[in-house]
Amino acid sequence: MPTSSSQTAWITIAFVALIVLRFLFRELRERRVRTRTIFLIPVIIGGLAIWFAYLTATLAPSALPSLPIAVAAALVVGGGLGLAIAHFTTVRTGPPGFIYLRGSWITVAIWVGALLLRMVGRYVVTGSATGMAGRVTAAGSAGGLSPDYWLLNTALFVLLAGAALVVRLRVLAVARTLPPETVTTA
């Protein structure tokens, strides 16, 4: 019979595989994007980042001194990732109000690298690739999870929001410089 930790490891592997497949599907095909709603995803992810920051502050107050440092580091790394992803994204203008985007194998590698960065961070902080080590067992303490869990997830959502925002800003800037129906990289 499988142990709880081996089940957790398999669930983590399956989750990572689904995320990688999603990146492959999304980045390697051209997708039409409405310029009017291009910032919807960064706003949603930013809202989640704010929510996780609030949860970190309320459920894991011991992580509060590290929270501004984690948020600042995540913004810097997210901004860098966003610039790199935008650089390797092909932009094509379309009908008014639309642009076409296509990532590349490099953008897939950057997103997967960001995911691996999160997993490495979890391993370094908790001592477990699945993040289950360091669980707080006292009832009501940190929502049943370690303060590191809350801090790392807050940083992840801040990183994703920063990367998504920078990608969209850069893509729009490039699209505005292109004549209609032009292809280039951001």
Side-chain angles (χ1 to χ4, degrees):
M1 187 157 137
T3 64
S4 175
S5 63
S6 69
Q7 286 176 337
T8 303
W10 281 110
I11 289 169
T12 301
I13 290 169
F15 184 68
V16 168
L18 286 173
I19 290 173
V20 170
L21 286 173
R22 185 244 181 227
F23 284 132
L24 286 169
F25 180 75
R26 181 179 178 274
E27 292 293 318
L28 297 179
R29 67 177 179 82
E30 187 174 70
R31 58 199 182 278
R32 186 171 83 161
V33 178
R34 242 181 234 270
T35 55
R36 185 172 36 132
T37 59
I38 197 166
F39 292 105
L40 184 61
I41 296 298
V43 167
I44 291 170
I45 298 171
L48 287 170
I50 291 167
W51 177 247
F52 264 89
Y54 169 77
L55 290 174
T56 301
T58 57
L59 296 175
S62 63
L64 200 53
S66 302
L67 187 59
I69 297 166
V71 167
L75 281 173
V76 169
V77 173
L81 287 172
L83 286 174
I85 291 164
H87 180 73
F88 294 105
T89 298
T90 302
V91 180
R92 180 171 66 90
T93 56
F98 292 95
I99 56 174
Y100 292 91
L101 305 175
R102 182 190 306 256
S104 65
W105 285 100
I106 296 172
T107 61
V108 171
I110 293 168
W111 280 120
V112 170
L115 175 66
L116 292 175
L117 180 65
R118 167 59 174 93
M119 293 178 73
V120 167
R122 185 183 323 183
Y123 183 77
V124 167
V125 171
T126 66
S128 167
T130 62
M132 298 310 287
R135 277 182 81 90
V136 176
T137 56
S141 178
L145 299 167
S146 75
D148 297 330
Y149 168 86
W150 295 106
L151 189 62
L152 284 171
N153 282 312
T154 299
L156 172 67
F157 280 107
V158 169
L159 181 144
L160 292 174
L165 179 64
V166 168
V167 166
R168 281 151 176 85
L169 287 170
R170 185 71 187 126
V171 161
L172 275 180
V174 168
R176 287 186 178 132
T177 66
L178 298 176
E181 302 296 327
T182 303
V183 178
T184 187
T185 57

